[in-house]
Amino acid sequence: HKALKPGGRLVAGDIHWDTLAWHSDNTRRMERMLEAWSRHMAVRDLPAKLPAELRSCGFEVQQMQPVTVCNTALRPDGLAAMMIQLIRAFAVDIGATDADDAAAWAREQQELAAEGRFFLSLTHFVCTARKQSRPEPQAGFRHPPGRRRNMHHKGGFPIVNAGKGHIASPSA
């Protein structure tokens, strides 16, 4: 927050994971894999909470722009291909499933793509805000004991990291 001068522009984005739609013929396995993936997230709906958090830190939110990703093909350099590899490894690493089950899930996605039946959609939200010249204090807001006054915490993670001048994105 202190990294920006009054009137300074902040742009932050994150995926709202509740917007994820991912086709599978084996819905139970897909649910298991996505449940495992959700364990890596500090906040799955950060875009829904971000505007209020920014306002409480003295920003004027100017825009919240949705950017929807919709893949009906599985490109080797695409988001879906990357997510398959990350989710597969993560689910096995945390013990949510075994390597064979995770491999079968990844293989199914490859097969769906080969048959022309692959589908993944999710929405990434980009928030644009300006630092106000004099932030209006939130009624009843107090900085947590032991916390620097220039860092606002909510839900167990820093929203604005003044030391580095960026918005934390727990799911990035």
Side-chain angles (χ1 to χ4, degrees):
H1 187 259
K2 287 186 176 186
L4 288 176
K5 294 179 182 180
R9 183 173 172 222
L10 176 123
V11 178
D14 201 5
I15 294 169
H16 191 309
W17 288 98
D18 292 339
T19 67
L20 177 64
W22 200 338
H23 173 69
S24 173
D25 288 337
N26 187 331
T27 55
R28 287 196 176 138
R29 182 174 57 208
M30 178 61 84
E31 288 169 0
R32 278 196 318 274
M33 296 300 287
L34 295 180
E35 169 58 31
W37 183 241
S38 72
R39 293 186 207 171
H40 96 285
M41 300 173 210
V43 179
R44 39 179 316 112
D45 63 347
L46 182 62
K49 296 175 179 172
L50 190 57
E53 293 298 331
L54 287 171
R55 285 183 195 101
S56 75
C57 294
F59 285 88
E60 176 189 347
V61 176
Q62 296 179 315
Q63 183 178 25
M64 183 63 102
Q65 181 70 41
V67 179
T68 300
V69 175
C70 185
N71 294 154
T72 58
L74 188 55
R75 295 186 340 262
D77 64 341
L79 175 65
M82 178 189 69
M83 287 180 60
I84 289 169
Q85 296 308 313
L86 291 173
I87 293 170
R88 177 182 176 179
F90 186 78
V92 173
D93 286 349
I94 66 168
T97 193
D98 60 39
D100 291 339
D101 188 45
W105 173 75
R107 193 170 40 255
E108 180 204 16
Q109 293 303 305
Q110 295 287 340
E111 291 166 359
L112 289 170
E115 297 167 5
R117 299 190 308 123
F118 182 83
F119 181 86
L120 174 139
S121 177
L122 55 78
T123 304
H124 183 270
F125 291 86
V126 179
C127 183
T128 304
R130 290 221 181 261
K131 182 177 178 182
Q132 296 176 1
S133 52
R134 284 191 204 177
E136 296 294 324
Q138 286 283 324
F141 175 78
R142 296 190 190 287
H143 292 279
R147 300 287 189 199
R148 295 185 341 211
R149 293 191 59 81
N150 65 348
M151 187 179 290
H152 178 73
H153 286 254
K154 183 76 170 185
F157 65 93
I159 297 298
V160 176
N161 183 335
K164 294 184 182 174
H166 70 275
I167 295 294
S169 178
S171 62

